[in-house]
Amino acid sequence: MHQTTAMLIELGAIILVLGLLGRLAGRVGFSPIPLYLLAGLAFGQGGILPLQASEEFVATGAEIGVILLLLLLGLEYSASELVTSLKTQYPSGAVDFVLNATPGAVMALLLGWGPVAAVALAGVTWISSSGVIAKVLGDLRRLGNRETPVVLGVLVLEDLSMAVYLPILTALLAGVSLAGGTVTLLIALGTVGAVLYLALRHGRLISRAVSSDSAEMLLLVVFGLTLVVAGIAQHLQVSAAVGAFLVGIALSGEVAEGAGVLLTPLRDLFAAVFFVFFGLHTDPADIPPVLLPALALAAVTALTKIATGYWAARRAGISAKGRWRAGGTLVARGEFSIVIAGLAVGTEPRIGPLATAYVLILVVLGPITARWTEPAARRLTNRLHPAPRPTPPTPPTTEPTEAVRTGH
C-alpha cells in the first residue's frame, strides 16, 4: 500500500511539473522538450530529487510515448504522399544524409567509441525534429510559403529512412551477425513495402474496418492495433516505433483525422514522460565532460542542415530568401535523436549525456535559426555586395533655347 501511495505521489508530481514547464515554454515561445529533459535530469540519478517508486511505470510510459510519436507522425501522411516524396525529393534526402550523418559518425570515431556507436551518433545528428519544426512553421505562419513543401519533403524522407535505419541499428546493438542483420533488414524492407502496397491498394478497406461512429471505440481500436503491431515488429527486430509509423500510414481519410484528434493528448502526455525518462537515466555530472564535443557538433550540424535546406530549396526553384528560410527551419533536433540515443545507451552509455546536451542546444537554437537565418544572410550579402549607388540626376542644361536665341 505504501509503495502504491508513493508511486501515485511521484507520478502526480512529475505530471504537474511537466504541465507547468509546458505552460512556461508556451509563454516564452519555444519547444518544451529541453525543459522536459532538464526535469528528467533533476528527478534522475544524481539529480535534486531522485525517483524510486514510479521508475518502472515511467519506463513503460516512455515506450508508449515513442510508439505514439511515430503513430501520429504516420497519420499525417498518406501512402501516395510518401511515394510522391520518394520520387521527387530523394536527391535532397541523399544530400541530407551525407551532410548531417557524417559529422556524428566522425565525432564518435574521434572519441574512440567504436563503429556501432558511430552508426548511432550519425542517426542522432542526421534526423531533424518533425514535431519542433511543425510547431515553428505554424508559429511563424509559414505553412503556406513556397519553401514549406521542400522542408516537409526532407522530413518525410527522414521519417521513411527510419524504417530502414532503426532495424539496422537495433541489429548492430544486439550484436547480430552479418547474416542475421541482412535478414532483419530484408524483413524491415519487406514489411515497409507490404504496408505501403496495402495502404495504396486497400487503404480505404483498412480504414473502413477500423472506423467507428463512437470516439471511444475508435480510440481503443486504433491504440490497441498500434500496440499489437508495435509488439510484433519489436519481436521481428524491426523496431516498435517503425511498426507504429506504418500503422499510421495505413490509415487514411476521416479515420486518420479522427484518430489523430483523439490520440494527440495521449501522445503529448506520454511523449513528455519519454523525455523525462531519458533524462532520468542521464547523470547531470556526466554532461560537463561532453559539453564541448556537443557544442562543436551542434555548430557543425546546424550549418550542414542550413546547407541541406538551401540546396533542396534551390533545386526546387525557390528564391534566395526561401532557401535560407528552409535551411534555418531544419536545424532543430528532438524526439528522433533522443529515441536513437535511448536505444544506444546500453551499448555506449556516454552517448546519453552527449545526445542530451546536443538536443538541448539545437532544440533551443532551432526556432532562432528558423526566424533569423534569412535576415542574417541578407544583411551579410548586402555588406559583401553593397548595392550600387544611384547615379545622380543630370543637371539641367543652361544652353539658351531657340526662342531665347531668336528673341521670340
Side-chain angles (χ1 to χ4, degrees):
M1 189 71 176
H2 175 72
Q3 182 73 11
T4 303
T5 302
M7 183 187 71
L8 291 174
I9 293 174
E10 285 187 358
L11 284 175
I14 291 172
I15 294 172
L16 177 60
V17 169
L18 293 179
L20 295 174
L21 292 176
R23 179 179 295 183
L24 175 62
R27 289 185 177 181
V28 176
F30 68 94
S31 170
I33 292 176
L35 298 182
Y36 295 159
L37 289 172
L38 291 175
L41 293 174
F43 289 131
Q45 302 173 0
I48 300 172
L49 188 62
L51 300 179
Q52 296 177 351
S54 61
E55 186 174 357
E56 184 176 351
F57 183 90
V58 171
T60 303
E63 292 284 345
I64 295 175
V66 175
I67 290 170
L68 288 174
L69 278 170
L70 273 292
L71 170 64
L72 268 292
L73 190 62
L75 290 174
E76 293 293 327
Y77 307 115
S78 67
S80 59
E81 289 173 340
L82 291 175
V83 172
T84 301
S85 294
L86 279 175
K87 291 179 178 179
T88 59
Q89 296 283 353
Y90 70 89
S92 301
V95 171
D96 180 32
F97 171 74
V98 172
L99 290 182
N100 296 287
T102 302
V106 171
M107 177 64 75
L109 294 176
L110 290 176
L111 293 173
W113 291 356
V116 176
V119 174
L121 195 57
V124 170
T125 59
W126 171 23
I127 305 298
S128 297
S129 171
S130 301
V132 174
I133 290 172
K135 186 177 187 304
V136 168
L137 288 172
D139 292 343
L140 296 178
R141 299 181 180 179
R142 292 182 181 173
L143 293 175
N145 284 18
R146 284 195 62 202
E147 74 275 2
T148 298
V150 175
V151 173
L152 296 178
V154 172
L155 294 177
V156 168
L157 284 172
E158 289 181 350
D159 298 337
L160 274 178
S161 300
M162 288 293 96
V164 177
Y165 170 81
L166 288 178
I168 293 175
L169 178 63
T170 302
L172 290 174
L173 293 173
V176 177
S177 64
L178 179 61
T182 303
V183 171
T184 299
L185 178 58
L186 291 176
I187 292 174
L189 292 175
T191 303
V192 173
V195 171
L196 287 177
Y197 174 80
L198 290 174
L200 283 169
R201 297 289 184 180
H202 309 290
R204 292 184 179 179
L205 294 177
I206 297 173
S207 298
R208 189 180 304 169
V210 174
S211 178
S212 174
D213 294 332
S214 168
E216 179 185 357
M217 294 302 104
L218 179 62
L219 173 64
L220 292 174
V221 171
V222 173
F223 189 37
L225 175 64
T226 302
L227 292 178
V228 169
V229 173
I232 294 173
Q234 186 84 354
H235 180 70
L236 296 174
Q237 295 186 342
V238 175
S239 168
V242 172
F245 181 66
L246 294 176
V247 172
I249 293 173
L251 301 178
S252 60
E254 294 181 359
V255 172
E257 294 177 5
V261 171
L262 293 172
L263 289 167
T264 295
L266 279 178
R267 178 204 60 186
D268 294 340
L269 171 62
F270 285 105
V273 171
F274 167 72
F275 291 117
V276 169
F277 177 75
F278 186 82
L280 288 176
H281 288 74
T282 302
D283 191 336
D286 293 336
I287 291 181
V290 298
L291 190 56
L292 285 179
L295 284 169
L297 204 54
V300 171
T301 54
L303 294 176
T304 54
K305 274 293 182 183
I306 291 173
T308 298
Y310 187 95
W311 188 89
R314 181 181 179 182
R315 181 174 174 272
I318 308 298
S319 66
K321 290 182 178 181
R323 298 171 197 171
W324 289 116
R325 286 195 297 264
T329 303
L330 287 170
V331 167
R333 310 304 202 277
E335 59 274 12
F336 275 119
S337 299
I338 298 299
V339 169
I340 294 166
L343 293 173
V345 289
T347 302
E348 178 49 72
R350 290 172 292 184
I351 287 182
L354 178 60
T356 301
Y358 175 78
V359 169
L360 280 171
I361 294 168
L362 287 185
V363 82
V364 173
L365 183 63
I368 297 174
T369 58
R371 173 66 180 84
W372 295 106
T373 297
E374 185 270 321
R378 186 176 66 247
R379 291 178 183 178
L380 181 61
T381 302
N382 291 339
R383 285 187 180 183
L384 295 177
H385 305 286
R389 295 181 179 179
T391 305
T394 305
T397 179
T398 57
E399 184 179 351
T401 63
E402 184 67 23
V404 173
R405 286 199 301 267
T406 58
H408 294 289

